[in-house]
Amino acid sequence: MSATDVQDVKDIVREKYAGAALKVATGGGASCCGSSVPPGASPITSNLYDAAQEQGLPAEAMLASLGCGNPTALAQLSPGETVLDLGSGGGIDVLLSARRVGPTGKAYGLDMTDEMLALARDNQRKAGLDNVEFLKGEIEAIPLPDNSVDVIISNCVINLSGDKDRVLREAFRVLKPGGRFAVSDVVTRGEIPEALRRDVLLWVGCLAGALDESDYVARLAAAGFAQISIEPTRVYDIEDAREFLAGKGIDVDALAPKMQDKFFSGFIRASKPDGNSPAGCCT
């Protein structure tokens, strides 16, 4: 993508997520990246958190969740560790991580949208968690020093970036040696219709920016990561595709069958070598 295209995507993402945050703050519910489906109805964002995780968290944190997975349920987090959530939105995964790492640990959330940051900080106050800090910034330029984070999580955000290689290099930079990359993201498998790739609005809907699984692995390796794996957690079917594409000016009947089993939510794991870790990956 050209620098202009990258900036255009970033502006659209910022606008849509700001709107989602304001909708939650004023008593509405967010839905996946500006879709008209009600909260909980999206095939990407629904049924990601269980009742035990939701207990004690503000309802607004749940309503503002626009993710495609539940990285905090799958990531290994230990007391005393430092966690960074890339694209933290309303803060749900940061708050859950803060519980896991405990008072001796720290959970950072990074977001570029003022409205989401305001909502996240309000959710932190309501949750009564002190080991949380929300930072303003972009995931392509993380405002933390080298080798400062034990675990990086993210929830359906990296696919929205127009410069994923830079995101992965930044993630590698801030991780400590031996640190873990443990993110949920939308991933593709096989050839994708060009009409989807061309529609910039679908970047905001978590689809057009998704990487093919083999490409994702290659980019992680190029950034320096080892022990790479991608685990599908939810594969989307034709009817899911209809929901994705509805209202976007696309011939759903023509494209939906071509999307069968092409998109899935995946849990992507990798690690920053510490000198003792074996290299390599598996998918």
Side-chain angles (χ1 to χ4, degrees):
M1 298 180 71
S2 69
T4 300
D5 290 337
V6 169
Q7 187 60 47
D8 287 346
V9 169
K10 191 174 294 181
D11 290 343
I12 292 170
V13 171
R14 182 183 286 111
E15 179 184 352
K16 292 295 185 180
Y17 276 75
L22 290 172
K23 188 173 182 180
V24 170
T26 55
S31 56
C32 186
C33 315
S35 168
S36 61
V37 297
S42 167
I44 291 182
T45 61
S46 61
N47 303 316
L48 300 178
Y49 302 93
D50 61 33
Q53 289 181 304
E54 294 179 16
Q55 188 173 5
L57 293 182
E60 291 83 358
M62 300 305 305
L63 288 171
S65 174
L66 302 175
C68 61
N70 185 347
T72 58
L74 298 171
Q76 177 187 348
L77 300 177
S78 301
E81 289 190 315
T82 299
V83 182
L84 168 63
D85 182 13
L86 299 180
S88 49
I92 176 67
D93 293 315
V94 179
L95 301 181
L96 289 171
S97 296
R99 286 177 172 177
R100 295 269 300 279
V101 300
T104 60
K106 183 70 175 279
Y108 288 102
L110 175 64
D111 206 280
M112 67 177 180
T113 309
D114 289 327
E115 292 83 356
M116 276 295 185
L117 287 166
L119 180 61
R121 289 167 180 150
D122 190 48
N123 287 332
Q124 175 192 355
R125 180 186 59 79
K126 292 175 180 176
L129 291 169
D130 296 326
N131 59 336
V132 169
E133 184 176 350
F134 289 100
L135 307 171
K136 183 175 181 180
E138 298 178 357
I139 62 176
E140 297 86 359
I142 299 171
L144 288 173
D146 297 357
N147 306 317
S148 58
V149 175
D150 294 294
V151 184
I152 284 180
I153 63 171
S154 187
N155 199 343
C156 200
V157 171
I158 294 174
N159 60 76
L160 299 177
S161 173
D163 193 348
K164 298 175 182 62
D165 291 330
R166 188 174 175 187
V167 174
L168 299 180
R169 289 194 300 268
E170 277 289 277
F172 188 87
R173 177 184 67 80
V174 301
L175 278 173
K176 299 175 183 178
R180 287 104 63 201
F181 180 86
V183 310
S184 294
D185 220 346
V186 174
V187 182
T188 69
R189 177 175 287 164
E191 186 177 354
I192 305 300
E194 184 61 26
L196 295 181
R197 296 292 188 192
R198 288 198 308 265
D199 192 339
V200 70
L201 289 179
L202 290 184
W203 282 82
V204 190
C206 314
L207 293 181
L211 293 176
D212 182 82
E213 56 186 332
S214 60
D215 190 18
Y216 214 133
V217 169
R219 289 173 188 249
L220 282 164
F225 285 99
Q227 297 177 291
I228 304 164
S229 66
I230 298 180
E231 174 190 350
T233 55
R234 183 182 298 185
V235 179
Y236 305 117
D237 60 23
I238 289 176
E239 292 310 311
D240 293 332
R242 290 181 186 277
E243 290 195 52
F244 292 157
L245 301 173
K248 293 184 170 69
I250 292 174
D251 187 341
V252 176
D253 288 332
L255 281 180
K258 298 178 183 178
M259 290 181 61
Q260 181 68 37
D261 299 329
K262 297 289 189 179
F263 289 91
F264 62 91
S265 292
F267 186 60
I268 298 97
R269 292 181 175 92
S271 64
K272 181 174 181 175
D274 61 2
N276 299 312
S277 301
C281 63
C282 57
T283 58

